[in-house]
């Protein structure tokens, strides 16, 4: 006990409080994301069916209630858990087990720097509504999402199956190409806002352009928005960039996986949709900002103002963030069901001959404009 | 609804090769379908099959669930000759013959199973039958069941005369 004393002294109240608040934030935010992911699996099936003039899943029922097929994610989960957990005889066991984890963890870690609200003051203690506020948050996201490729490649490599390896090779080529461009598409944005702190970027988007238009990233950097979405969809490995999987040809890097191990890959993919949507919202669509809503209430350009309690403002902003994210998820899924799969050479050509030069051009033009406007 | 579209294979112009605008147009098409079907689900043409059926038209009426006809005395008309089982491309008819002791007819089917989960509804069995004993005119469409057994027709489920069937009256049946 005597020897522990210095350590206990180190754990002062502030640190304990900070840890407790962080734990609550992690629980709240990741819980919301996970719940939304399960919901998304249902949304995707229902959405695709409605687009194709079908009805979609509607048979899973509890006591005769189907609730529009909302029980299907539960049924899927039960089914996946009951399946045989199969490991190919020649697979390298350790890597085979590790691959799904390496796929999932970076995706979850990236959520740490995404601001889902401004801040609230509880009894004089300021709580930032972001799990970890890093000055280089944007670079952190890019760095962490770069990890995802290890999961993909290890899965293909460790299963010792030709098709899985083929999928992994395609995946490696595609993800490396698009990671380069993903970073470059965001450089222009960092130049405009002069920071890589995501919270700062969102705060900057609360300003007004010419006193009327909200200064969202999509207005400053519309081409970058399109380029970012394309690159992010490619990173996500879903149609139209799903040569990695190519259900009709090679199944892809997770071919040998079954049961919950496969479920983790699928889950990671869906969480990545949310991540891409949240990034797009944070960087380009104003994050949690609602136009004209300041910390004390609405302040319209025409001079009218409505006072709102700060807590209500924060709640409304969090709801706005959730709403924008849901909208982006919807848009991404609709795109996925609209565009046919690209051929592999087209995927590569798009990355190196399309998006890369265009994002470099975007940086150049942004720099020129900033120079001429005297902002540099 | 499905309609035929004539595709014009001209070379793509610049806007189409940039592709972004075309993707956006496609996006609007799928989004339109989504919202139309979301707000008026009645427009979806899917039929919730086992609960809702619709009357069969034309040729579809001709081949439906099998039945075995009966003679006027209630014995099966089938003589267990195995011709239908031989003709069946799906190997889904299983027959075991039984022997009559006191009758002009030698054999009868002690077991006669049709596995509807394999049957392709081709009607070859009906064509092959020399006794006109098997027919596919019940107007019941197989499928839409929750248990495998429900797709497996045994002799007792098959033996069925239709109202007004000639075999009931004894016409068209040389042995009755
Ligand atoms: S309809 Fe065709 S497949 Fe079905 S039992 Fe008769 S012969 Fe066999
Ligand atoms: S062909 Fe006709 S008579 Fe011969 S076994 Fe089949 S149903 Fe019976």
């Amino acid at each position: 006990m005597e020897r522990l004393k210095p350590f206990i002294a180190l754990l002062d109240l502030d640190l304990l409080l900070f840890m407790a608040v962080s734990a609550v934030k992690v629980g709240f935010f990741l819980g919301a994301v996970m719940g939304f992911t399960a919901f998304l699996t249902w949304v995707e099936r229902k959405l695709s069916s409605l687009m194709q003039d079908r009805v979609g899943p509607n048979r899973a029922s509890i006591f005769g209630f189907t609730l529009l097929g909302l029980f299907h994610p539960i049924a899927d989960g039960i089914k996946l858990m009951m399946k045989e957990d199969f490991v190919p005889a020649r697979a390298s066991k350790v890597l085979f087990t590790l691959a799904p984890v390496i796929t999932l963890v970076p995706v979850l870690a990236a959520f740490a720097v995404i601001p889902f609200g401004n801040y609230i003051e509880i009894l004089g203690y300021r709580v930032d509504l972001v799990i970890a506020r890093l000055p280089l948050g944007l670079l952190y996201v890019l760095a962490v999402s770069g990890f995802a490729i290890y999961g993909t490649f290890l899965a293909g490599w460790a299963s010792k199956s030709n098709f899985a390896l083929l999928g992994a090779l395609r995946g490696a080529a595609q993800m490396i190409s698009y990671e380069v461009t993903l970073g470059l598409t965001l450089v222009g944005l960092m130049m405009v806002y002069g920071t890589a702190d995501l919270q700062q970027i969102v705060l900057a988007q609360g300003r007004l352009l010419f006193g009327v238009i909200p200064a969202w990233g999509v207005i400053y950097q519309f081409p970058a928005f399109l380029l970012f979405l394309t690159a992010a969809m490619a990173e996500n490995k879903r149609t139209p960039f799903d040569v990695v999987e190519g259900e009709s040809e090679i199944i892809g890097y997770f071919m040998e996986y079954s049961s919950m191990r496969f479920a983790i890959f699928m889950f990671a993919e869906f969480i990545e949709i949310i991540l891409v949507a949240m990034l797009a919202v944070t960087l380009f669509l104003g994050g949690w900002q609602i136009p004209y809503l300041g910390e004390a209430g609405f302040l319209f350009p025409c001079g009218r103002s409505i006072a709102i309690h700060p807590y209500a403002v924060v709640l409304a902003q969090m709801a706005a963030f959730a709403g924008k994210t849901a909208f982006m998820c919807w848009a991404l899924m609709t795109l996925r069901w609209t565009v046919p799969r690209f051929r592999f050479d087209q995927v590569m050509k798009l990355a190196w001959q399309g998006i890369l030069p265009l994002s470099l051009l975007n940086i150049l033009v942004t720099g020129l404009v900033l120079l001429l406007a005297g902002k540099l | 609804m499905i309609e035929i579209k004539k595709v014009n294979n001209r070379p793509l112009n610049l806007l189409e090769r940039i592709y972004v605008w075309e993707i956006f147009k496609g996006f609007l098409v799928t989004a339109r379908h989504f919202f139309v079907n979301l707000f008026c689900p009645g427009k979806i043409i899917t039929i919730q099959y086992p609960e809702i059926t619709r009357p069969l038209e034309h040729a579809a009426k001709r081949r439906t669930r099998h039945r075995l006809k009966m003679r006027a005395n209630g014995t099966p008309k089938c003589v267990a000759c195995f011709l239908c089982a031989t003709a069946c491309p799906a190997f889904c008819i299983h027959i075991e013959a039984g022997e009559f002791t006191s009758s002009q007819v030698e054999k009868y089917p002690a077991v006669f199973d049709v596995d509807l989960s394999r049957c392709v509804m081709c009607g070859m069995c009906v064509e092959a039958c020399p006794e006109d004993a098997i027919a596919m005119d019940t107007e019941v469409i197989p499928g839409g069941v929750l248990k495998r057994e429900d797709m497996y027709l045994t002799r007792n489920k098959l033996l069925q005369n239709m109202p007004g069937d000639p075999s009931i009256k004894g016409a068209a049946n040389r042995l009755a």
Side-chain angles (χ1 to χ4, degrees):
Chain A
M1 207 53 218
E2 275 301 302
R3 266 189 288 156
L4 280 179
K5 268 219 168 118
F7 294 104
I8 293 170
L10 268 180
L11 281 175
D12 58 58
L13 205 62
D14 263 0
L15 188 61
L16 275 181
L17 196 62
F18 174 75
M19 279 160 63
V21 168
S22 295
V24 169
K25 281 192 288 192
V26 170
F28 170 74
F29 193 42
L30 280 193
V33 167
M34 290 297 202
F36 193 55
T37 311
F39 181 64
L40 267 194
T41 59
W42 172 80
V43 169
E44 163 139 285
R45 296 174 64 183
K46 212 66 183 170
L47 190 102
S48 59
S49 64
L50 283 181
M51 272 168 205
Q52 298 165 352
D53 296 344
R54 292 184 288 118
V55 182
N58 63 350
R59 290 288 159 140
S61 66
I62 295 180
F63 303 124
F65 293 102
T66 54
L67 273 187
L68 295 169
L70 254 182
F71 295 125
H72 274 268
I74 303 174
D76 289 345
I78 294 173
K79 185 187 124 181
L80 280 168
M81 268 184 248
M82 311 252 273
K83 292 278 175 188
E84 185 192 353
D85 184 15
F86 181 76
V87 181
R90 296 202 301 136
S92 61
K93 305 274 177 313
V94 179
L95 293 182
F96 192 80
T97 314
L98 220 53
V101 182
I102 297 181
T103 313
L104 186 64
V105 169
V107 182
L108 285 180
F111 283 100
V113 291
I114 292 187
F116 52 94
N118 196 357
Y119 67 91
I120 37 174
E121 288 224 6
I122 303 171
L123 305 173
Y125 187 79
R126 182 190 154 115
V127 181
D128 275 312
L129 289 181
V130 47
I131 294 175
R133 197 170 161 182
L134 297 184
L136 289 176
L138 193 49
L139 298 187
Y140 166 81
V141 172
L142 292 176
V144 162
S145 67
F147 251 101
I149 182 166
Y150 288 102
T152 305
F153 199 78
L154 280 182
W157 173 254
S159 12
K160 293 282 185 311
S161 148
N162 290 347
F163 286 115
L165 188 60
L166 202 55
L169 285 174
R170 286 184 186 186
Q174 174 176 328
M175 288 171 84
I176 289 176
S177 315
Y178 279 91
E179 236 161 64
V180 175
T181 49
L182 189 69
L184 284 176
T185 53
L186 296 179
V187 171
L189 202 79
M190 285 191 251
M191 287 160 77
V192 170
Y193 292 117
T195 173
D197 179 354
L198 290 174
Q199 188 70 288
Q200 286 284 328
I201 291 180
V202 176
L203 285 172
Q205 294 184 69
R207 279 187 251 132
L208 294 178
L209 207 59
F210 311 122
V212 244
I213 314 167
W216 288 4
V218 68
I219 290 165
Y220 283 130
Q221 292 274 312
F222 185 67
F225 179 59
L226 294 183
L227 295 175
F228 169 76
L229 270 192
T230 318
M233 278 173 86
E235 275 288 288
N236 198 346
K237 307 188 290 294
R238 282 159 60 84
T239 336
F241 297 99
D242 70 337
V243 277
V244 180
E245 287 163 38
E247 283 131 348
S248 48
E249 25 180 301
I250 57 166
I251 317 292
Y253 58 96
F254 48 56
M255 184 181 179
E256 301 296 336
Y257 281 84
S258 59
S259 187
M260 284 314 275
R261 294 182 209 237
F262 166 74
I264 292 177
F265 282 118
M266 204 186 74
F267 219 60
E269 201 176 284
F270 274 92
I271 298 177
E272 222 171 306
I273 302 174
I274 302 180
L275 181 64
V276 170
M278 281 188 176
L279 273 181
V281 167
T282 307
L283 296 172
F284 292 99
L285 299 179
W288 40 262
Q289 299 275 9
I290 302 175
Y292 314 126
L293 183 63
E295 274 176 44
F298 280 106
L299 188 65
F300 292 108
C302 54
R304 263 179 62 101
S305 65
I306 308 167
I308 300 176
H309 192 275
Y311 281 153
V313 169
V314 169
L315 278 183
Q317 285 172 336
M318 277 161 72
F321 182 68
K324 285 179 195 176
T325 307
F327 170 77
M328 272 317 291
C329 287
W330 174 83
L332 284 173
M333 287 197 161
T334 310
L335 264 182
R336 181 217 193 274
W337 289 97
T338 302
V339 189
R341 183 190 309 149
F342 290 135
R343 241 172 21 228
F344 190 62
D345 59 320
Q346 291 170 328
V347 170
M348 283 295 139
K349 218 171 122 186
L350 183 66
W352 295 108
Q353 297 184 5
I355 297 183
L356 184 67
L358 281 178
S359 50
L360 287 175
L361 190 70
N362 180 45
I363 296 171
L364 194 72
V365 172
T366 311
L368 269 180
V369 171
L370 285 180
L371 188 66
L372 294 180
K375 291 263 175 69
L376 270 184
Chain B
M1 288 298 275
I2 300 159
E3 59 199 37
I4 295 171
K5 239 187 208 159
K6 201 145 173 78
V7 179
N8 180 8
N9 280 324
R10 61 184 164 70
L12 303 178
N13 61 30
L14 186 69
L15 196 62
E16 284 165 338
R17 269 190 288 137
I18 291 175
Y19 205 33
V20 174
W21 177 243
E22 294 295 311
I23 288 181
F24 185 68
K25 282 204 304 200
F27 182 86
L28 288 186
V29 170
T30 37
R32 194 187 70 226
H33 274 259
F34 173 72
F35 283 115
V36 166
N37 290 327
L38 187 67
F39 292 119
C40 7
K43 288 206 174 162
I44 298 175
I45 54 171
T46 309
I47 295 169
Q48 297 290 335
Y49 167 56
E51 290 90 14
I52 300 167
T53 48
R54 52 174 187 177
L56 292 173
E57 286 161 19
H58 316 300
K61 236 181 201 161
R62 267 182 232 142
R63 288 205 295 272
T64 45
R65 209 204 76 183
H66 310 65
R67 70 182 173 105
L68 284 177
K69 295 182 189 171
M70 287 184 287
R71 303 198 185 92
N73 64 5
T75 52
K77 229 170 138 181
C78 166
V79 295
C81 71
F82 289 75
L83 280 180
C84 54
T86 313
C88 176
F91 303 114
C92 65
I93 303 181
H94 173 74
I95 306 170
E96 282 171 27
E99 218 171 329
F100 277 123
T101 41
S102 55
S103 165
Q104 283 171 285
V105 191
E106 280 175 28
K107 293 199 289 180
Y108 69 96
V111 176
F112 196 110
D113 300 336
V114 178
D115 187 354
L116 285 181
S117 59
R118 296 180 168 224
C119 169
V120 294
M121 307 303 287
C122 63
M124 294 292 189
C125 47
V126 180
E127 298 288 322
C129 182
E131 296 287 318
D132 193 21
I134 191 166
M136 297 178 74
D137 55 359
T138 49
E139 298 201 12
V140 179
I141 310 167
V145 294
L146 293 175
K147 286 191 300 238
R148 255 164 225 267
E149 300 90 80
D150 294 342
M151 293 294 275
Y152 203 80
L153 295 179
T154 51
R155 197 188 82 149
N156 290 341
K157 286 193 221 159
L158 279 165
L159 276 173
Q160 169 196 0
N161 273 341
M162 302 291 277
D165 199 312
S167 61
I168 289 181
K169 294 178 205 132
N173 187 338
R174 60 190 164 91
L175 294 166

